């Protein structure tokens, strides 16, 4: 199985080379040259297996240049009991009424980014060996909150890698900030940037685009790389939990073999939901993929009209990990629904770059709308949904998951489609404890409380344990105090690479 660019670069790469390279030289994203098809017996074989074995069965379909032993070693390092606090790794909890919650937040940082960022470093280290790479890899990350911490945990003390994470000084939640500035590990650096997320992200992009910086680093034996969700090594592991959830529903007797299900996915960069699309292409009985957005509803508009237009104002919401106006992974969907028309994909992406918008029509749009449906929820509805789900089911959800839960109701009301639905739950409610507590007990419940006091109150009120990794932050030492201006980020990278 080889990989090539969505934009038509002819070169075909092995999986290891695609994972090491991250983004294709022509600016496109790597896609598999053919999506493997699975049949009924493949699914049946998954039923008695645990999450890790299911992962091996799926990953090996795509990682032809990795041995089964190597894949098993990657999977065991990523999803073992030392990392995930639930034996099922990604358990499915029934809520009744044909609704099921797929919990993707049992990993070390309590958000779904762990599902990919725990295994990406494992795949990458082996990719370095396979491709004869001699440089030490430097992962640069700009984060609005969840990715930075998940990448730090994934790469900490991984041989032949360093990681430098930049976050906007006053742009992340207190829990997210503490998660990052207390990070342990000999190869990690964390820097706050005086600016917003855009300034931070632009700064990282500038370093990637700076040829002389790249050459200086190369002379010192370093090579820059990215843990961003455009890397195939981040997308691939996410396919696994769609299959695993389906297998769990079958085992529980909630569905019959072959019965289609809907997945409802809180979406930002279109990575998570795209993995569901790959699962469908592979033959998993998926009926609809429901794309749930927040007030940054560029994807809802696109999926309804075919017009992608990012020329709109940016909203800061209570589901910040979905506050995004350029959903990079959409490019892979466009590639597949055009039957691999890379010239067309390149033209659309060129228009997005130049004008901020493009339009998809005709057969590709029909193919998209055949599978995808979308709506969005604002902060007020999201808050009400957290309370409604808790009051009705005694089940606590975070704001991102609440967006999806709310949109599922809208979907059922609009279509009458009562096919069993899986809501993809992407973060622990304790990671966004302030907003969740306010949703349940009113905003006054926060008055005079530290974020930990609010979390304890949430735990007491709902009789839900706070994840140990978040509770432990209260007494951890701050290890990273660096703050810089956007113009100083390159210097901070040089400094980070000199220490140790
Ligand atoms: C990243 C993230 C999302 C969005 O996922 P995409 O793959 O970017 O669409 C949703 N919820 C949470 C909690 C996240 O961290």
């Amino acid at each position: 199985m080889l990989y090539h660019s969505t934009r038509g670069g002819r070169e075909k790469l092995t999986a290891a080379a695609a994972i090491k390279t991250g983004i294709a030289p022509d600016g496109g994203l790597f896609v598999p040259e053919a999506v493997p098809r699975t049949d009924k017996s493949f699914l049946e074989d998954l039923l008695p297996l645990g999450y890790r074995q299911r992962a091996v069965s799926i990953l090996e379909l795509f990682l032809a240049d990795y041995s089964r032993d190597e894949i098993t070693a990657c999977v065991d390092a990523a999803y073992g009991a030392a990392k995930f606090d639930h034996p099922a790794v990604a358990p499915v909890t029934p809520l009744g009424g044909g609704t099921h919650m797929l919990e993707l937040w049992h990993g070390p940082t309590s958000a779904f980014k762990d599902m990919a960022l725990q295994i990406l470093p494992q795949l990458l280290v082996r990719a370095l060996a396979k491709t004869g790479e001699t440089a030490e890899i430097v992962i640069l990350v700009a984060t609005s909150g969840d990715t930075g911490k998940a990448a730090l945990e994934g790469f900490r003390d991984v041989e032949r890698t360093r990681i430098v994470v930049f976050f906007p000084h006053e742009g992340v939640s207190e829990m997210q900030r503490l998660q990052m500035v207390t990070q342990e590990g000999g190869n990690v650096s964390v820097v706050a940037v005086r600016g917003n997320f855009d300034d931070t992200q632009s700064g990282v992009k500038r370093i990637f685009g700076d040829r002389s910086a790249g050459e200086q680093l190369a002379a010192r034996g370093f090579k820059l790389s990215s843990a961003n969700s455009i890397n195939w090594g981040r997308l691939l592991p996410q396919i696994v939990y769609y299959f695993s959830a389906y297998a769990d529903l079958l085992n529980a007797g909630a569905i019959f073999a072959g019965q289609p299900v809907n997945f409802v996915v809180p979406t930002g960069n279109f990575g998570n939901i795209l993995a569901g699309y790959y699962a469908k292409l592979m033959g998993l009985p998926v009926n609809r993929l429901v794309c749930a957005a927040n007030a940054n509803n560029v994807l809802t508009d696109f999926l309804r009209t075919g017009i992608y237009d990012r020329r709109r104002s940016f909203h800061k919401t209570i589901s910040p990990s979905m506050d995004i106006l350029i959903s990079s992974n959409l490019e892979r969907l466009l590639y597949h629904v055009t039957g691999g028309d890379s010239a067309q994909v390149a033209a659309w992406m060129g228009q997005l770059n130049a004008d901020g918008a493009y339009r998809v029509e005709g057969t590709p749009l029909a193919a998209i709308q055949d599978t995808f449906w979308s709506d969005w929820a604002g902060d007020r509805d999201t808050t009400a949904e957290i309370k409604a789900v808790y009051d009705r089911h005694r089940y606590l959800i975070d704001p991102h998951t609440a967006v999806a839960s709310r949109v599922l109701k809208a979907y059922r009301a609009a279509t009458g489609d009562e096919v069993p639905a899986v809501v993809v739950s992407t973060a622990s409610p304790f990671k966004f404890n302030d907003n969740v507590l306010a949703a349940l007990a009113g905003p006054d419940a926060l008055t005079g409380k530290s974020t930990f006091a609010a979390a304890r109150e949430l735990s007491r009120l709902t009789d839900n344990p706070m994840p140990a990794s978040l509770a432990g932050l209260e007494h951890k030492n701050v290890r990273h105090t660096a703050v810089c201006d956007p113009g100083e980020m390159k210097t901070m990278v040089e400094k980070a690479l000199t220490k140790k």
Side-chain angles (χ1 to χ4, degrees), residues 110-113 145-147 176 229 234-235 238 241 265-274 299 319-322 324 327 329 398 400-401 424-428 431-432:
S110 306
F112 103 97
K113 302 291 191 290
D146 287 340
T147 298
Q176 288 175 320
S229 74
R234 264 192 72 178
L235 198 64
Q238 300 181 164
Y241 49 74
V265 189
T267 299
N269 211 9
F270 211 74
N272 196 352
I273 197 168
L274 185 73
L299 282 168
S319 47
S321 301
M322 296 152 66
I324 185 162
S327 297
N329 269 303
D398 93 291
H400 303 78
T401 308
V424 179
S425 178
T426 50
S428 158
K431 198 159 183 180
F432 300 93

Side-chain angles (χ1 to χ4, degrees), residues 164-247:
V164 186
V165 169
F166 293 98
F167 71 90
H169 194 25
E170 264 141 33
V172 298
S173 82
E174 183 58 4
M175 209 58 103
Q176 288 175 320
R177 191 186 69 83
L178 286 171
Q179 278 189 313
M180 290 189 276
V181 297
T182 58
Q183 178 68 42
E184 289 155 12
N187 63 340
V188 305
S189 302
V190 178
V191 182
V193 179
R194 288 186 204 94
N196 61 24
F197 175 61
D198 279 339
D199 302 323
T200 310
Q201 172 140 291
S202 306
V204 163
K205 282 191 179 155
R206 251 193 328 273
I207 300 172
F208 274 114
D210 182 338
R211 279 245 318 260
S212 78
E215 282 162 13
Q216 282 165 23
L217 287 173
R220 294 170 56 198
F222 292 118
K223 183 178 179 133
L224 292 179
S225 186
S226 154
N228 194 277
S229 74
I230 52 182
N231 191 316
W232 177 252
R234 264 192 72 178
L235 198 64
L236 172 60
Q238 300 181 164
I239 298 173
V240 174
Y241 49 74
Y242 287 91
F243 277 89
S244 182
Y246 192 91

